[in-house]
Amino acid sequence: MPAPVTATAEAQLIRPHGGELTERSGERPDGIDQLDTVRLTSRELSDLDMLGSGALSPLTGFMGRDDYEHVIEEMRLATGLPWALPVCLAVAEPPQGDRVALADESGRALAVLEIEDVFEYDKEREAERCFGTRDEAHPGVARLYAQQSKYVAGPVIVFERQEPPFPGLHKDPRDTRAAFAERGWRRVVGFQTRNPIHRAHEYLTKCALETVDGLLIHPLVGETKADDVPAATRVEAYEVLIEGYYPKNRVVVSAFPAAMRYAGPREAVWHAICRKNYGCSHFIVGRDHAGVGDYYGTYDAQLIFDEFEPHELDIEPMFFEHSFWCRVCGQMATAKTCPHPADDHVFLSGTKVRELLANGELPPAEFSRPEVAEVLIAAYRQP
Ligand SMILES: [Zn+2]
C-alpha cells in the first residue's frame, strides 16, 4: 500500500516558480458567444493549455508590454523573476470590448481573455533577442514572422481544456506533484526530450537518477518540426524502454504539452522553469538543448544558466556531455569519464541510424535497445 499523499509530502517538493501554482482554469463565464473570438495557432494553444494547468506559473495570461520588454531584454518578468521567452498572443486588430474569447483552430471557444493591453511589437527584434538570429530559415523565426502584427495581453480563464494527444500520459503540474509526493520523492530530475531515447539518453537519465529520488521523463508532445520523429512513435519507444530497463518505482512518464520554439539556450531556461512548476528540483540540459541547425553553440544552452544566480531559478540544471559506448571501458561513458580514442567508441550518425531503421535493421545494441529499435523500425515501415 502506498503511503497516503499528505500535504507534508508535497511541501517537501520544490516550490513552483514565483511561489504558487497559478492554475488559470475555471467555469465558462456567461456571454462568451457574444464576444469577439481569436483563433489561436497551435503554439498559442499549447501556451494557453499550460496557462490553464499552472505549467507557466506565475503567468496568469498572455504577457503585457512591460513583461514582454523585460523578457526580451533581460530574461526577466517586470517583477525581476527570471523568465526566458515571451508568451504572447498575436492578433491582426485589437478585438472589440474588454474581453475576447480564445478558440481552437476549429473555432471552438476554450477560454476568455480579459484585455488589458494591445501593443505592437518588432518581429525582427524579438527574433534577434530570443532566437539569436533574424534568419527566416530558422523554424521559430519563420513562425514568428508569420504571426499577426499586434499582441493582445491579459489574464485568461480556461474553461475547456483541449483533448490531450496522449490521455494516458496527461498530467498537470498538480498531478505530477501528487505523484512525486505519493512516492515519497523530494528531489526529482526532469528530462526533456523530443527524440526517441537511445542508450546515450538512457545513460544520462540514469546518471542523474543516481543522485536524486526520482526521474520525470517528460517528452514534448506539442507541435514540432515535420521531420522530427512523430510523438506517438516516441511515446511507444519510451514505454518499451522503461518496461525493460528502468525500475518503475523511480520513474514517472508524462507528456509535456509545450510546442517547440527551437530557441536553444533561452528555451532551455524556459523548459527548466516549466519543469520546476511540475515539481522537478533538477533538470537535465544536454548539448544543444532545444537547438536546430547550426544556430547555437554546442554548450550555449548550458552556459546561459550562468546568467542567473542559483537561488533565482531554484531548479538545478544538470549538464551532460555527449555519451557513447566505449568498447575498452565496456560501458557507456563520455569524454569526461573515458580516456580512449574515438575509434574505441560506438558512434553512428543520425543519418546512419535512420538508414538502418528504414531498412529494418537493428542498430548495435550498444547504441539502441533492441526493443526501442523495433518500435522505430515498425514506424518506418508504416505506409
Ligand atoms: Zn573508454
Side-chain angles (χ1 to χ4, degrees):
M1 278 282 287
V5 180
T6 61
T8 325
E10 291 220 26
Q12 292 187 331
L13 293 168
I14 193 168
R15 310 270 298 165
H17 199 50
E20 302 288 334
L21 277 184
T22 47
E23 299 168 295
R24 303 297 295 177
S25 294
E27 295 290 305
R28 183 190 181 98
D30 292 333
I32 291 297
D33 299 340
Q34 278 77 57
L35 300 178
D36 269 8
T37 298
V38 176
R39 289 191 190 199
L40 276 57
T41 64
S42 62
R43 197 271 299 158
E44 293 162 347
L45 285 166
S46 290
D47 288 351
L48 178 68
D49 195 64
M50 292 171 73
L51 288 165
S53 75
L56 298 183
S57 302
L59 301 190
T60 56
F62 288 99
M63 282 179 180
R65 194 184 323 230
D66 206 14
D67 277 333
Y68 175 76
E69 285 295 328
H70 279 83
V71 168
I72 297 278
E73 293 301 328
E74 301 162 26
M75 285 202 293
R76 289 169 190 284
L77 298 171
T79 58
L81 197 68
W83 195 271
L85 287 169
V87 174
C88 291
L89 174 55
V91 291
E93 287 305 320
Q96 298 295 309
D98 52 10
R99 294 186 307 159
V100 64
L102 307 183
D104 64 14
E105 283 140 326
S106 74
R108 180 177 61 131
L110 304 172
V112 62
L113 179 144
E114 206 175 304
I115 302 171
E116 287 184 340
D117 196 7
V118 180
F119 59 101
E120 308 238 1
Y121 65 103
D122 181 336
K123 292 180 180 179
E124 295 205 331
R125 176 168 158 253
E126 183 177 326
E128 184 68 48
R129 297 299 302 166
C130 297
F131 297 100
T133 175
R134 298 178 179 210
D135 183 0
E136 54 196 304
H138 181 294
V141 173
R143 188 162 54 187
L144 171 61
Y145 287 179
Q147 283 182 175
Q148 304 289 1
S149 61
K150 297 182 179 69
Y151 282 145
V152 58
V156 297
I157 295 291
V158 178
F159 49 79
E160 182 135 352
R161 295 288 295 276
Q162 299 156 71
E163 188 61 31
F166 300 94
L169 294 184
H170 178 84
K171 286 189 174 63
D172 286 338
R174 63 159 58 221
D175 304 320
T176 50
R177 286 175 168 273
F180 301 161
E182 189 181 292
R183 289 162 175 78
W185 299 350
R186 291 176 58 193
R187 290 152 51 87
V188 184
V189 62
F191 178 61
Q192 144 80 30
T193 166
R194 62 178 201 263
N195 295 307
I197 301 187
H198 296 294
R199 293 291 296 271
H201 310 102
E202 180 186 335
Y203 174 70
L204 55 91
T205 57
K206 287 181 170 176
C207 284
L209 180 54
E210 291 289 359
T211 74
V212 296
D213 303 320
L215 167 68
L216 173 65
I217 295 183
H218 216 199
L220 181 142
V221 297
E223 192 187 50
T224 55
K225 293 188 279 92
D227 57 346
D228 284 349
V229 177
T233 304
R234 288 185 282 127
V235 166
E236 197 186 339
Y238 305 138
E239 283 168 351
V240 297
L241 182 71
I242 289 156
E243 179 65 31
Y245 301 96
Y246 286 75
K248 284 179 204 52
N249 61 349
R250 292 285 177 187
V251 185
V252 169
V253 187
S254 174
F256 181 51
M260 269 313 288
R261 286 161 158 83
Y262 302 98
R266 278 192 182 233
E267 193 159 12
V269 173
W270 193 76
H271 279 161
I273 291 172
C274 295
R275 271 34 179 261
K276 177 182 169 186
N277 289 327
Y278 282 92
C280 295
S281 57
H282 293 69
F283 182 63
I284 292 172
V285 182
R287 289 160 43 123
D288 201 25
H289 184 107
V292 62
D294 297 327
Y295 291 100
Y296 310 109
T298 306
Y299 296 101
D300 288 358
Q302 301 183 348
L303 294 170
I304 194 172
F305 283 85
D306 291 342
E307 297 188 29
F308 303 97
E309 299 292 330
H311 66 86
E312 290 190 302
L313 288 174
D314 210 11
I315 185 165
E316 174 121 15
M318 299 178 91
F319 302 133
F320 283 92
E321 284 284 340
H322 170 66
S323 71
F324 44 78
W325 180 272
C326 172
R327 296 187 191 93
V328 181
C329 291
Q331 62 180 35
M332 294 299 297
T334 72
K336 248 181 185 172
T337 51
C338 156
H340 306 114
D343 285 355
D344 294 324
H345 303 159
V346 175
F347 173 80
L348 283 83
S349 68
T351 313
K352 177 71 188 165
V353 177
R354 281 190 292 275
E355 190 187 302
L356 286 172
L357 295 171
N359 291 333
E361 293 174 48
L362 293 178
E366 294 87 357
F367 184 87
S368 224
R369 297 288 186 189
E371 295 88 341
V372 171
E374 296 285 4
V375 169
L376 300 175
I377 287 171
Y380 271 101
R381 289 199 166 161
Q382 268 163 20

